[in-house]
Each structure stands twice: as C-alpha cells, then as structure tokens.
Amino acid sequence: MRTIAEFSIVPFFVCLSFSLGYSIPVATYTSQGGNATWDCDTGQAFPVSANDVQCHGLNSNRDAKNADDCATACCEAGVDCVIWQWLDGQNCWMGKASSWPCGDSNGWVGGKRTIYSCNADTCEIDDSGTFGSQQDCEASCSPPAPPPSPPPPPPPPPPPSPPPSPPPPPSPPPP
C-alpha cells in the first residue's frame, strides 16, 4: 500500500515529501555525528553562485525539468552534490566539479555549497569533504584526547623490621 505522503522529523523541523513526485522543504541543515541532512531551501544550501560558468565533471540529471528541480535534487543528495547547474537545452548537471572556479559560459544558472574536510586536526573548505558545516567538521576533527596518565607506581614496601635482639646472656649460677 502506497501512502500519499511520507514525512521525517529532523530535530525541531519537518520535511514533507509526497509520493506524487514533489516535496515541501521545511527543515534546515542538521547533523548528528557528522551525518548531514539538508533542507531544500536552495538559497541556504547553495550560498555560492555558479551562474554564467560551466563546470565539468558533473553528472546529468535527466529527471530535473527545470532549474528548481535541479537545485532540489542536488540539495537532497547532501554532500555528494556540491554544485548544480541548469542551462535550457543542456538540462541539469550536478555533483562534484573537476575544478573550481569553473570556466565562464553565459546562460548557465546554478549554485555551490561549502563543504569541509578534516586535515589532521584542522578543518578546511574542500569540495571532496564530508562535513556540511565548519562546526560539524571541528567537532569531529578535534585532536584526540591524550591517553590517560599511567597509574602511579605502588608505594615502596615498608623497611624491614630490625632483627630480634639476642637473648640476654645467662646469669651466673648462684654461689
């Protein structure tokens, strides 16, 4: 039996998706243990413009019928989709570009999200990263806690007791 709508609760927010192929984005980006979930407010998810440039290395999404569909599909893919682009006649292209910035090309519209990766104990902007926010990256990337200190050595044994005193010499026999 198919349901008309399915919903998933993200802390304090809800995303509602209909089985008829459309969704109402009403949640925000959240993370639990580095696993990012994204809302589909593409203005927030893709703060960097990818307009009037053409990026290479992206994958075609033939299901997207317009720029909004393209942006939403990329948004829902999470950190696996860093850039989305749309050009009438060329349709939707999305994924991780082979390089950034991309080459100038008029007519393309698109957006790029900021992704972070952990390098040693610091976070860096990196399109191949796995963290959707610098805060999540820093939480997972912090240097490991130092190992616990070894327990103190046991106290030294008490000094040996002095040997017993020798018995007193026998007294002389009485006269």
Side-chain angles (χ1 to χ4, degrees):
M1 178 175 162
R2 292 187 61 132
T3 59
I4 299 287
E6 295 178 16
F7 64 92
S8 60
I9 298 175
V10 182
F12 306 108
F13 302 96
V14 176
C15 283
L16 186 59
S17 298
F18 293 88
S19 61
L20 301 175
Y22 63 94
S23 64
I24 301 172
V26 291
T28 60
Y29 167 79
T30 59
S31 176
Q32 294 177 348
N35 297 321
T37 57
W38 298 88
D39 73 359
C40 293
D41 178 344
T42 56
Q44 288 182 5
F46 301 102
V48 180
S49 173
N51 294 339
D52 293 322
V53 296
Q54 182 180 7
C55 299
H56 297 281
L58 303 177
N59 301 310
S60 175
N61 177 349
R62 296 179 195 269
D63 294 331
K65 304 301 181 210
N66 55 48
D68 288 338
D69 288 353
C70 188
T72 298
C74 187
C75 185
E76 290 174 348
V79 295
D80 292 329
C81 188
V82 177
I83 297 172
W84 69 271
Q85 291 200 289
W86 174 269
L87 178 65
D88 288 334
Q90 295 292 321
N91 298 330
C92 177
W93 293 85
M94 53 188 252
K96 293 183 178 182
S98 53
S99 66
W100 181 263
C102 303
D104 291 343
S105 184
N106 291 335
W108 288 90
V109 294
K112 178 181 178 299
R113 60 170 112 226
T114 304
I115 304 295
Y116 297 85
S117 68
C118 182
N119 182 7
D121 61 352
T122 60
C123 292
E124 298 174 349
I125 293 176
D126 178 3
D127 291 342
S128 63
T130 56
F131 299 97
S133 76
Q134 187 169 7
Q135 179 181 358
D136 288 338
C137 181
E138 289 171 352
S140 297
C141 192
S142 58
S149 302
S161 344
S165 309
S171 5

